[in-house]
Amino acid sequence: MKILISNDDGYLAPGINALADQLSSIADIVVVAPDSNRSGSSNSLTLDRPLRVMKSDKGYYSINGTPSDCVHIALTGMLGQRPDLVVSGINQGQNMGDDTLYSGTVAAATEGFLFGIPAIAFSQVEHGWAELDSAARIAKDIVLRKLDALHKPFLLNVNIPNRPYSALTKIAATRLGKRHESEPVIRAQDPHGNEIFWIGPAGKAKEASEGTDFHATEQGWVSVTPLQIDLTHGAQLDRLRQALE
Ligand code: MN
């Protein structure tokens, strides 16, 4: 098995190192990841400047671009061959509910999916890298599950509570929950007295009922959500047709 690994926290992040170390025991791996933290970059591609690939001492490739750039470049010319799986993460912090739209971690996996390759995004629920080895072992376990039963290609979004491996006893199939709207922007002044803004934190969970990713991780379970990319609101289509008549 050949696995392409990327992330959005950058090629030096502990999460991608732990993931690569675990997966290298079961597959031929290639790591292609951003050269800096590009969290929140969603599916953006860099079109306004050239991109360069560097190789680290560990053999990881880093690119001065986004997670989507990395997977895109790897799949469309940089790698000599097509991987069997694209894996992203392990992200520092949860990607649940609406986070999936902003997440660069999910985006790296999505880029593989859009090229017809099965893909999985992994995130740890809490920041701080606590129990990272445990999360990486869970990631390997999930890659080794009987995922052949799924429609190909599949796109899975995995959130792993920061718990010891022995405490992660359940891996649950979930749907995305929803968040309240984001917290307000943070207004401040730069040293020259000019007004500046920091994007505020994500909203708290709003739809966290049984069956959602929020609910599962709250129970201490690993949450696995199958994603799709078609954003068409089917139920709205007929109403729209009538409105446009
Ligand atoms: Mn990140």
Side-chain angles (χ1 to χ4, degrees), residues 30-168:
V30 182
V31 174
V32 185
D35 64 359
S36 63
N37 191 328
R38 303 302 300 264
S39 296
S41 58
S42 189
N43 296 88
S44 58
L45 290 174
T46 301
L47 304 176
D48 61 346
R49 58 188 167 85
L51 298 170
R52 291 179 205 285
V53 180
M54 309 287 278
K55 193 171 186 181
S56 77
D57 292 344
K58 241 188 143 174
Y60 294 178
Y61 296 98
S62 66
I63 296 181
N64 59 333
T66 65
S68 296
D69 288 332
C70 292
V71 174
H72 193 98
I73 288 171
L75 295 181
T76 58
M78 190 190 136
L79 297 183
Q81 56 212 355
R82 201 176 157 89
D84 304 297
L85 183 69
V86 173
V87 166
S88 177
I90 298 169
N91 188 58
Q92 170 161 234
Q94 58 188 257
N95 280 304
M96 300 198 280
D98 316 322
D99 302 339
T100 50
L101 287 174
Y102 298 95
S103 167
T105 305
V106 175
T110 300
E111 191 68 9
F113 172 77
L114 292 174
F115 278 94
I117 300 168
I120 312 177
F122 292 101
S123 302
Q124 272 202 302
V125 173
E126 301 282 342
H127 280 245
W129 305 119
E131 306 293 351
L132 179 57
D133 287 342
S134 154
R137 285 175 68 188
I138 289 290
K140 183 170 80 173
D141 290 350
I142 288 173
V143 168
L144 291 173
R145 290 285 170 115
K146 295 180 187 126
L147 302 176
D148 285 343
L150 300 174
H151 293 294
K152 290 263 187 68
F154 54 77
L155 175 59
L156 301 180
N157 183 46
V158 181
N159 282 278
I160 308 168
N162 304 43
R163 294 189 171 198
Y165 186 74
S166 59
L168 293 168

Side-chain angles (χ1 to χ4, degrees), residues 1-19:
M1 181 162 51
K2 295 179 174 59
I3 301 181
L4 170 62
I5 301 176
S6 193
N7 75 347
D8 74 356
D9 294 334
Y11 78 108
L12 293 173
I16 199 167
N17 273 279
L19 185 61

